[in-house]
Amino acid sequence: MGRGYSNSRSKSARPTLRMKRQRSLSLQQLKASVPKTNTASRNLSAVRKSDAQTPTSGAKQKTSANRATTQQRDDKARVRSASTIRQKVAFMEKELEGELEPEERVTETIVKPDVMTKYKSAGRALDEVMDILAAACVPGATTKQLCDLGDEELLRRVRAMFSKAKDADGNRILRGLSYPTNVSVNQTLCNHAPLVEEEAVALRGGDVVKIHMGCHIDGYPVTAARTVFVPSDAIAATSPESSGGAIAARGQTRQLTQAASNAVEAARVALRGMIHLMQPGRLNADVTDFIHSVGNHFEVQGLEGVLSNRTKRWVPDGMECIITRRVTLEDPHQDVADCNIGANQVWTLDVAFTDHSSYKVAPVEGTATIYRRTEVEFQNDARLRSVHASLQEITEKHQCFPFSLKHLDNPLKARMAVAMLRKQNVIDPLPALKIKGERHITARFSATVAVSERRVTVLCGLPPAEPLVVPDEVRPPPLSDGIAAVLSEPLVFAERGGPQRKKARKEERNE
């Protein structure tokens, strides 16, 4: 399969599963903000000088050039112009490379034991809550009840950790949610987190439920997602607060199809394979090719816009990423730049499939309850003091992580402030995403892993080792030899470099 990679990130105008931060400065503005150096002036002068030069090696070449037609001269000028533009853009990108995303300091990587401890502690708490929510997915339960339960349990566990730890300034380290709990059912893929019961969905037997949540300790984020089947033979005890829709849903059952069973199994197998492929030096395109092969084996479609990102402290979605599905044969194109997996990195792996014949997802209008702060500065106005107060609360409590209105002190006041902040692009909405057709479903699995020089450590979200339990008539097909070979690759790598390598790592940790 041709990769068709470009030198930029996804050019799609369609929504992605995890929204990207909008850069408020253009390339030209960033160029102006970088101090000019003599080297830059010399390089640009050399480029301009090369533009002015024309080949004049001899009289014979001059005669040949005079015989060229006007069209040929225009073509040559166009080629020289395009080449010059590429040279200038490449030079500017290299000069501004450090301005687009800050470099990760060694003290904030998993080389430091205390950083790894924070990642593991957050991941352990998330896995515990994920198990609680998976067991609570029974007929009659509503998505609002599950979202509230997930947020409460996860916050309670995370806030109990490192309660006395302080940062370099002597302040208590921040702990909280890096992604609000959202529970999406059947054709809905993600970001369904209703604020009231009237907007919630009541579960019924046979539904396909996607649970997604995240937390952080001292800015080190972990997220995970899991797909579960609602059991058909469970008896749900509906609480008095449940809506009438929840009561009506009891006794109804959704029929599980072969294609839906294959989609869930494809997502599970793909994520387990991605974990085994996360080795230092591996190209991100190789991981994308493996996901594509899994989809072909189970005859399901990988969804567009699903990205796996490298994460850092206070950066839940870095510039380096792995795309689930390339879209290069139709507009708008969706692709990412080549990158290699590196040692001492943390990645959030994400994969999603559907049993629909189309791979496209669309936002559900008017359903955004999750938002995220952008880098655009708010134009302060004396008449909008309440808006500024809400923005300050969002920035202090949630930093760069997505948040829900229910986590603010005054949700009603915050709802009015959000409308003003959205007009100025200070915050981005993260609407629910779904595919067309209520007969079809989406399946999603996500995990956070730490890649070191010697092994891959799953921090949270490890998918089940065995396929989900389904009736025999819709059991997925067995794995092919190629996919099974990837799943058998070790998570612990062979030692490279011997004693010198160990000495270098020891010196790096002591810095």
Side-chain angles (χ1 to χ4, degrees), residues 290 293 297 477-489:
F290 171 76
S293 65
H297 175 74
L479 301 180
S480 63
D481 294 339
I483 297 176
V486 173
L487 297 182
S488 63
E489 290 191 11

Side-chain angles (χ1 to χ4, degrees), residues 130-333:
M130 185 72 75
D131 292 337
I132 294 175
L133 286 189
C137 290
V138 295
T142 65
T143 52
K144 183 183 185 305
Q145 295 171 357
L146 296 173
C147 290
D148 292 343
L149 176 63
D151 289 339
E152 292 173 3
E153 291 291 334
L154 191 55
L155 281 174
R156 182 175 63 84
R157 283 169 168 77
V158 171
R159 287 173 178 171
M161 299 176 177
F162 298 89
S163 58
K164 298 182 180 180
K166 297 183 179 181
D167 57 16
D169 298 330
N171 301 321
R172 295 287 177 88
I173 63 174
L174 296 178
R175 296 145 295 159
L177 301 179
S178 63
Y179 211 105
T181 304
N182 53 100
V183 180
S184 308
V185 184
N186 295 330
Q187 74 271 21
T188 305
L189 177 61
C190 62
N191 295 339
H192 176 73
L195 299 179
V196 294
E197 281 289 350
E198 288 73 15
E199 300 173 353
V201 176
L203 303 186
R204 56 180 178 173
D207 280 343
V208 181
V209 180
K210 281 77 62 181
I211 307 171
H212 177 216
M213 64 179 68
C215 64
H216 76 92
I217 296 178
D218 197 20
Y220 298 100
V222 295
T223 58
R226 183 188 300 181
T227 300
V228 298
F229 293 121
V230 178
S232 301
D233 55 350
I235 301 177
T238 308
S239 62
E241 295 82 9
S242 299
S243 62
I247 300 175
R250 299 174 64 181
Q252 300 179 4
T253 302
R254 179 187 178 94
Q255 189 67 29
L256 181 64
T257 63
Q258 180 68 60
S261 176
N262 288 357
V264 176
E265 178 65 4
R268 184 193 72 86
V269 171
L271 182 58
R272 292 193 69 91
M274 293 171 68
I275 294 173
H276 286 269
L277 291 175
M278 296 298 291
Q279 300 179 6
R282 179 88 64 180
L283 189 65
N284 59 349
D286 297 335
V287 183
T288 301
D289 291 341
F290 171 76
I291 298 173
H292 180 73
S293 65
V294 172
N296 288 342
H297 175 74
F298 289 99
E299 298 181 348
V300 292
Q301 297 283 346
L303 290 174
E304 67 172 355
V306 182
L307 299 176
S308 301
N309 297 89
R310 180 187 172 189
T311 62
K312 307 175 185 178
R313 188 186 186 195
W314 304 117
V315 182
D317 51 355
M319 299 294 289
E320 297 174 320
C321 53
I322 302 169
I323 193 168
T324 295
R325 184 188 186 95
R326 307 184 192 95
V327 181
T328 57
L329 299 180
E330 61 180 273
D331 291 328
H333 292 283

Side-chain angles (χ1 to χ4, degrees), residues 64-100:
S64 176
N66 292 334
R67 293 176 181 175
T69 62
T70 304
Q71 182 65 31
Q72 290 174 334
R73 288 196 298 269
D74 292 343
D75 292 342
K76 291 180 180 180
R78 191 178 298 110
V79 170
R80 287 197 301 270
S81 177
S83 176
T84 302
I85 292 175
R86 285 195 296 268
Q87 291 177 9
K88 292 181 178 180
V89 170
F91 172 75
M92 292 173 64
E93 287 181 347
K94 184 177 181 180
E95 188 179 20
L96 300 172
E97 184 177 358
E99 299 290 333
L100 296 177

Side-chain angles (χ1 to χ4, degrees), residues 409-428:
D409 294 339
N410 191 337
L412 180 60
K413 179 181 176 181
R415 188 185 291 270
M416 295 185 293
V418 161
M420 179 62 67
L421 295 174
R422 287 185 60 181
K423 291 181 180 179
Q424 297 194 17
N425 296 323
V426 179
I427 62 174
D428 279 338

Side-chain angles (χ1 to χ4, degrees), residues 457-472:
T457 302
V458 181
L459 301 174
C460 63
L462 179 65
E466 299 296 332
L468 276 65
V469 178
V470 295
D472 294 339

